[in-house]
Amino acid sequence: ANRTAAVKKPRKKCSGRMPLQLSQQLSQKYGLKNHGQRRVSANRTAAVARRVNGPKLLSRTRGAGIGLLPFNVPDDRTIVPQASFLESLTSKLRPQPPQPKKQAKTVFVAGSTGRVGARIVRELLAQGYTVRAGCRNVESAQEAIDVAEAYGLLTGDMIKRVEVVPFDITKVDSIREAIGGAQSVVCAVGAPENDVLNPLAPKAIDGDGTISLIKESAAAGVERFVLITSLGTEKVGWPASILNLFWGVLIWKREAEKALESSGMAYTILRPGGMERPTDSYKETHNLKLSPKNTTFGGQVSRLQVAELVGAVLNNPELSANKVLEVTAETTAPRISLEELLQGAAGIKADISPEKQKATREASKGAAAAVSSGDKRLAAAREELELAMDRIQAANASLAEAKDLEAEVRAQAAPALKSASGAEAVMSKAKAELEAALQAETTARLVLEEAKKVAASQANQPLSPQQLKAVREQVASKQRAAAGEKQKEAAAKPAAGIPFL
């Protein structure tokens, strides 16, 4: 579209000087000041012109000149500062990451390819807005725009101000990027009629999906939110009971309304009547009527009338802020402008005052900050936990390695331990035998001494077997008595290191 808007000019002989208009454009685009109409080669002039104004604005010419512009301008249409000028150039020459900036005349439309959403996009473009049209199938939406342009429904200026962006209301990750720098959001989504057999569709789209869009919009700093729901929301009986047969669709729409009312954003909720039958020509015989919430029990309105009302609501925020408006069209309603219609609805009481809304917004920001702080602490705790888990795993690995080494050493030492166990048994037996031999030697010595005493008392006469037996019994009795005395002494002696009580 930008290329088609370029003006074709006949070739002119280049004078070797940069045109004043191009010089001013370079100054504005790159932040340079007072470089004037410096002499520059014709080839470079054409290359820079293609970079700034597009390939068709200026033709490439030949010529000679002194290149004083502080840029290398190769034929690949890129501009690279020379190294000698890097320190003198301002930060504007360096590439900066794109920062989404809120634009007052930019509106994000959710559900832009629907029968209501498409009319809203066209109406906003006609009123001079820049529109970010969110849809799931970008290629199909772009084809629809091309068809609309071909049939004259959208002008070239409108095409420049519409951007189709990928958007799926059931995927939270796609919402914030789709909103971009829009200051206002219009939500015209709804569970499709061809999905009537899916019991989860109203909850996923009219309920959870729309609530996610509201939350992400508030977090992105959106100032105005227009939500299109349905007549009968927040009601029982006719027509709510019929519409709620579609898996409680009005119940989920009401949940989205409540989320918007407590979001802190300035909002307008439109509850249109039936839009199935009325065509775009319905407005020729039926005029719009706005009513307070829960006061209308039936009626119809065309999709085009709803789209035009959305534009009027965005153009007159002070007349529709924080209100729920039920929208129908009747033949008896007066034919007045949309601004006059909204002025007549000024008597409809707002659901929330600006002061309370500001307090709600501040509370939401505080809650968001607390959540962000909690998320940071949680992330830090997770990092600490991961480090602790790593240390535990390292300790477990070291312990397993030590156990493996122990098992290996035990396996290697098992034969030696087995041999040592046999040798220990032999030594224990030999020790017992030695002790028995010593005891026998001691007994024999004592028996010999006692026998000598008895023989000396008999004039050294040999002892009879009976006398020798008596001597042995006497020695054994003395040994038993001595052993008993030692046991008593050992029992009466206190253990070392323990006070005797």
Side-chain angles (χ1 to χ4, degrees), residues 68-92:
L68 298 180
L69 184 67
F71 292 95
N72 292 328
V73 187
D75 289 338
D76 60 357
R77 296 171 61 189
T78 59
I79 297 180
V80 183
Q82 294 182 2
S84 59
F85 289 91
L86 287 177
E87 294 182 358
S88 61
L89 295 180
T90 64
S91 60
K92 293 183 180 180

Side-chain angles (χ1 to χ4, degrees), residues 123-455:
E123 182 64 26
L124 294 179
L125 290 173
Q127 296 187 20
Y129 285 94
T130 298
V131 177
R132 293 177 62 84
C135 61
R136 287 181 293 182
N137 192 330
V138 175
E139 293 181 359
S140 297
Q142 192 61 53
E143 290 176 0
I145 291 176
D146 295 339
V147 172
E149 182 184 15
Y151 280 88
L153 298 177
L154 296 178
T155 65
D157 177 65
M158 292 180 181
I159 297 297
K160 294 179 183 179
R161 289 185 283 105
V162 61
E163 180 182 2
V164 180
V165 294
F167 168 74
D168 188 342
I169 199 169
T170 61
K171 298 179 180 179
V172 180
D173 296 339
S174 71
I175 296 178
R176 186 75 68 89
E177 185 175 356
I179 295 173
Q183 189 184 45
S184 303
V185 171
V186 177
C187 180
V189 300
E193 296 174 358
N194 58 5
D195 213 8
V196 66
L197 297 180
N198 183 3
L200 301 179
K203 180 179 184 298
I205 298 175
D206 298 89
D208 297 341
T210 305
I211 292 173
S212 297
L213 175 60
I214 292 169
K215 291 181 178 179
E216 290 298 320
S217 299
V222 171
E223 298 180 7
R224 294 264 315 155
F225 198 107
V226 179
L227 175 62
I228 301 173
T229 57
S230 174
L231 195 66
T233 304
E234 202 178 0
K235 281 185 182 179
V236 294
W238 174 267
S241 58
I242 301 300
L243 293 176
N244 276 326
L245 291 177
F246 182 31
W247 312 112
V249 61
L250 294 187
I251 296 175
W252 297 116
K253 286 183 180 293
R254 178 53 190 159
E255 292 299 317
E257 288 183 352
K258 290 191 289 186
L260 180 58
E261 291 168 353
S262 60
S263 66
M265 294 182 291
Y267 66 88
T268 301
I269 298 174
L270 301 180
R271 294 177 177 175
M275 296 184 288
E276 291 75 19
R277 292 182 180 179
T279 62
D280 289 352
S281 61
Y282 196 72
K283 59 181 291 185
E284 298 176 2
T285 57
H286 295 72
N287 302 320
L288 280 178
K289 177 183 177 182
L290 301 181
S291 305
K293 63 179 181 179
N294 304 326
T295 60
T296 307
F297 294 89
Q300 297 184 109
V301 65
S302 70
R303 296 181 177 90
L304 179 58
Q305 288 174 304
V306 173
E308 292 174 343
L309 179 60
V310 169
V313 165
L314 291 177
N315 289 332
N316 300 274
E318 69 284 353
L319 299 178
S320 59
N322 307 329
K323 294 181 181 181
V324 179
L325 303 176
E326 297 187 337
V327 186
T328 56
E330 299 178 356
T331 57
T332 57
R335 184 177 293 274
I336 56 178
S337 67
L338 293 173
E339 288 74 13
E340 292 174 331
L341 184 67
L342 289 175
Q343 288 174 359
I348 299 177
K349 185 179 179 181
D351 295 330
I352 183 173
S353 64
E355 294 77 14
K356 187 175 180 181
Q357 188 175 53
K358 182 179 179 181
T360 302
R361 188 183 300 113
E362 295 298 328
S364 299
K365 289 182 180 179
V371 171
S372 177
S373 177
D375 289 341
K376 292 180 180 179
R377 291 195 297 269
L378 180 60
R382 285 177 176 173
E383 291 180 0
E384 292 293 335
L385 180 60
E386 290 177 357
L387 292 176
M389 294 298 295
D390 292 340
R391 290 193 292 269
I392 291 174
Q393 290 179 356
N396 289 335
S398 300
L399 180 60
E401 184 179 355
K403 288 184 177 180
D404 293 340
L405 181 61
E406 180 185 6
E408 183 180 357
V409 171
R410 284 183 179 276
Q412 294 177 355
L417 292 175
K418 187 175 181 181
S419 300
S421 178
E424 185 178 357
V426 172
M427 291 181 63
S428 178
K429 183 178 179 182
K431 184 178 179 180
E433 292 177 353
L434 178 61
E435 290 179 353
L438 292 174
Q439 184 66 28
E441 181 184 0
T442 301
T443 302
R445 187 180 299 110
L446 293 176
V447 169
L448 179 60
E449 291 177 358
E450 290 296 328
K452 285 180 179 181
K453 291 179 181 179
V454 174

